[in-house]
Amino acid sequence: MAEKKVDVLIIGSGHTGGMAAKILTEKGISCTMLDAGPMLNFERDRTLKPASQLPFRGLDAPGRHPHIFQATEFSANQWVDEKVIPYNYPAGQQYNWVRIRSVGGRSPFWGRQSFRLSDYEFKCKDHDGFGENWPISYKDLESYYSRVEGIFRVQGHTDGLPQYPDGNFIEDNAPWSNAMQRFVDAGKKMGVPVTKPRSALGTGGLAASINLLIPDAVATGKLTTIPNSIVRKITVDKHTGLADGVIFIDRHSYREMTIKARVVIVAAGTLETTRLLMISEIANSSGVLGHYLCDQIYGAGIAASVPEARGGKGKRGVIGGGALIPRFRNLETKTPGYLRGYAVNVSSSSGPMDARWFMEYGSALEKKLDEYYGSGFTTNIMGETLGHYENHVSLNKQVVDAWGMPTLTISTKYGDNEINMAKDMVDTTAAMAEAAGFEVLVRNYEFNPPGYSIHEQGTARMGDNPKTSVVNKWNQSHDIKNLFITDASVFVSAGWQNPTITMCALAMRASEYLAEEMRKGNI
């Protein structure tokens, strides 16, 4: 007797796995979702303790998460243990791979910045000749962006900038603080737009798959979720060439099991998705699987002080709030030294200053911190990195994870394009801060290693040509028509934007296409 098949098997439960489950189940299609981690229960699992009661006083244990700068002792158990699932990289090519394994994936922990890509990204090659255009345009995703923004309750301000498309916002018309208004005015004089941030408000303090997407799928009665399920291989029917299910391992018992499926959706996150496809030896007739890894540079920026706010004098309205400088370089004119562009996160704070901003120590440092208290003003870059073929991942069969699966070697590095971009950003925002009357304390031209932004993209790029891409414009494998990939691995270029809203819009669009193809009997 043939094993019963599930309609759609979804691997991964983050933003795009959750979106696929929501759309498909609401159209009456039964879905089974596998996730490598446990089901989260914040109320049950959260423990509140003062730092004084923790062995490392809130700092992460030395060596526990060497590549996760965000890790602290308070959050140590949410990150993937690199001893359990290691990875490596060539000497001199550090990569910070930040991973979470639990139902909902990284969706409960993202920064919620919510930006649409524009045709400066979708049709990037048309603007500067580098890389490839996406097989879709902004118009193809516009309506999906609006629907996603409605689900996530995105707050923002309508600005009318072509490189920063407006959306379905909860309008933010709050006034700027005095310090921020001066920075905005300085930008206008220099031709640099300074706008309100755009972020997902969500509900109940979360804008995640586990509270905005998966519950809707569960409510249909059409979703089955199986946590602690580590997919070892996507299987293919040798007669039809179609994906027919997966082999997976129970995380605790190591028991191996199988599920048969009519359709398989992979939404495990860029690098985990690509690792699984490589292990399964599928979807790579083009030979580009694993290549064109890209993200954004973070870390470079300035720190400044607003003089009238020092010593805690920055009352409400004097200082505070945040802003965004959307990309403004290489739009209609060419900027010497680099391609593409960057955005800038801008923040002002009435809290304590960072001791690293002062060339003092001991009592002199304490005096400085008291004097400058409450006057902080910072800028931080979000710069597009280019998708080079050489930036890639490969399987390391000599080093396996705790379940015997090959691990990844990540080979990627930044170059002159990123260096020149960061220098321009620091010099530009420093000049704006000085024009606003601020004292610039630090100019930091150094950016963090690749991966730090947690915005890894590419490695299974979409395109019209099966010889140069992995999936088509519907996120459907060129090689296997019942295999779909819905995470950021399909991105053709990184842009400067946080990718989450675009990932969700693509997953929504792909899921509706899949539902219609299933209805017609084409899949």
Side-chain angles (χ1 to χ4, degrees):
M1 182 175 177
E3 184 176 350
K4 181 181 177 182
K5 285 188 175 184
V6 301
D7 285 337
V8 177
L9 180 65
I10 303 171
I11 304 169
S13 60
H15 277 124
T16 68
M19 182 63 76
K22 171 181 166 65
I23 298 300
L24 293 170
T25 56
E26 288 179 344
K27 289 185 175 294
I29 298 171
S30 296
C31 296
T32 297
M33 176 181 285
L34 302 181
D35 194 276
M39 192 75 73
L40 290 174
N41 186 322
F42 287 105
E43 295 307 314
R44 181 193 66 201
D45 299 331
R46 181 175 56 193
T47 301
L48 301 179
K49 288 184 179 181
S52 60
Q53 291 183 13
L54 299 174
F56 300 98
R57 301 300 186 264
L59 301 176
D60 199 14
R64 178 156 48 187
H65 297 105
H67 297 97
I68 305 177
F69 297 164
Q70 300 86 347
T72 69
E73 199 170 7
F74 292 103
S75 64
N77 63 346
Q78 81 187 26
W79 313 104
V80 166
D81 187 337
E82 291 180 23
K83 294 182 178 65
V84 175
I85 314 171
Y87 70 98
N88 62 27
Y89 44 78
Q93 294 188 30
Q94 180 176 335
Y95 191 91
N96 288 21
W97 189 10
V98 179
R99 296 165 290 170
I100 292 172
R101 284 194 168 185
S102 58
V103 173
R106 293 186 301 203
S107 70
F109 307 98
W110 70 302
R112 301 200 218 175
Q113 289 189 296
S114 302
F115 311 126
R116 300 182 178 198
L117 300 188
S118 72
D119 277 335
Y120 286 105
E121 287 74 45
F122 290 121
K123 302 303 176 187
C124 51
K125 185 177 182 180
D126 290 346
H127 290 286
D128 58 33
F130 179 84
E132 296 294 337
N133 290 332
W134 293 55
I136 59 174
S137 68
Y138 172 70
K139 209 69 181 166
D140 293 315
L141 270 196
E142 186 174 16
S143 64
Y144 297 97
Y145 274 133
S146 292
R147 291 166 60 189
V148 171
E149 288 159 348
I151 293 169
F152 283 77
R153 300 181 64 242
V154 174
Q155 183 178 60
H157 186 270
T158 301
D159 298 295
L161 299 172
Q163 75 274 30
Y164 190 43
D166 295 320
N168 177 21
F169 299 146
I170 297 170
E171 196 71 19
D172 180 0
N173 290 313
W176 297 110
S177 67
N178 178 265
M180 198 63 76
Q181 184 65 62
R182 284 156 52 193
F183 189 74
V184 171
D185 294 342
K188 286 180 181 177
K189 292 178 181 178
M190 296 175 61
V192 180
V194 183
T195 71
K196 291 291 181 65
R198 295 175 182 174
S199 60
L201 299 178
T203 58
L206 279 177
S209 177
I210 55 173
N211 74 316
L212 298 180
L213 303 175
I214 294 176
D216 288 349
V218 170
T220 67
K222 295 284 187 178
L223 179 66
T224 300
T225 302
I226 309 176
N228 298 309
S229 301
I230 297 167
V231 179
R232 184 175 71 77
K233 185 179 182 180
I234 299 169
T235 57
V236 174
D237 186 299
K238 64 182 179 180
H239 300 295
T240 65
L242 297 176
D244 66 356
V246 301
I247 302 169
F248 71 99
I249 304 167
D250 180 87
R251 186 166 71 100
H252 298 298
S253 70
Y254 292 75
R255 179 188 173 194
E256 190 170 276
M257 292 168 277
T258 63
I259 292 182
K260 293 297 182 182
R262 179 178 168 190
V263 178
V264 175
I265 294 176
V266 193
T270 294
L271 297 184
E272 285 288 14
T273 285
T274 298
R275 179 167 81 122
L276 178 58
L277 295 174
M278 287 179 162
I279 291 171
S280 303
E281 298 181 333
I282 59 173
N284 193 27
S285 64
S286 65
V288 301
L289 181 67
H291 293 274
Y292 301 106
L293 175 62
C294 53
D295 63 353
Q296 283 116 26
I297 55 170
Y298 272 41
I302 69 165
S305 168
V306 180
E308 62 271 26
R310 290 175 188 164
K313 296 177 183 177
K315 305 301 181 185
R316 186 172 183 178
V318 174
I319 194 171
L324 182 95
I325 299 174
R327 174 182 168 182
F328 61 97
R329 297 297 197 204
N330 289 316
L331 298 177
E332 305 308 319
T333 59
K334 181 173 172 53
T335 303
Y338 63 92
L339 299 175
R340 307 292 161 86
Y342 58 83
V344 183
N345 276 321
V346 184
S347 179
S348 61
S349 171
S350 58
M353 302 286 272
D354 193 319
R356 295 174 297 176
W357 297 347
F358 302 97
M359 297 291 289
E360 306 284 356
Y361 64 94
S363 59
L365 174 60
E366 291 180 6
K367 184 177 179 181
K368 279 285 187 185
L369 291 174
D370 288 341
E371 178 186 350
Y372 280 76
Y373 181 89
S375 65
F377 190 95
T378 61
T379 67
N380 289 283
I381 193 170
M382 297 186 293
E384 176 174 355
T385 68
L386 301 178
H388 293 285
Y389 180 85
E390 296 77 14
N391 289 344
H392 71 285
V393 299
S394 56
L395 286 183
N396 182 348
K397 296 181 180 179
Q398 282 67 51
V399 179
V400 298
D401 66 16
W403 298 273
M405 296 169 59
T407 57
L408 280 185
T409 297
I410 305 173
S411 304
T412 186
K413 58 184 177 181
Y414 295 151
D416 289 343
N417 207 74
E418 290 76 27
I419 292 169
N420 295 336
M421 182 184 292
K423 184 178 187 307
D424 178 47
M425 175 270 178
V426 172
D427 290 343
T428 299
T429 56
M432 291 170 65
E434 289 175 338
F438 308 158
E439 178 188 358
V440 176
L441 303 171
V442 175
R443 288 176 170 85
N444 175 37
Y445 296 96
E446 298 291 326
F447 40 80
N448 299 112
Y452 179 88
S453 67
I454 325 181
H455 291 169
E456 59 269 19
Q457 301 164 48
T459 68
R461 54 167 36 187
M462 63 164 55
D464 290 328
N465 187 348
K467 294 182 179 180
T468 58
S469 57
V470 176
V471 299
N472 65 18
K473 64 181 180 180
W474 302 106
N475 296 61
Q476 180 182 28
S477 165
H478 287 300
D479 298 348
I480 304 173
K481 71 176 184 178
N482 68 335
L483 175 69
F484 286 73
I485 303 171
T486 60
D487 53 41
S489 60
V490 305
F491 279 37
V492 180
S493 60
W496 54 266
Q497 299 94 328
N498 181 304
T500 303
I501 294 297
T502 300
M503 290 159 50
C504 288
L506 286 170
M508 178 183 284
R509 179 174 178 268
S511 299
E512 291 194 343
Y513 171 80
L514 169 59
E516 181 61 14
E517 289 295 286
M518 292 178 74
R519 186 190 68 79
K520 292 177 179 177
N522 295 334
I523 295 179

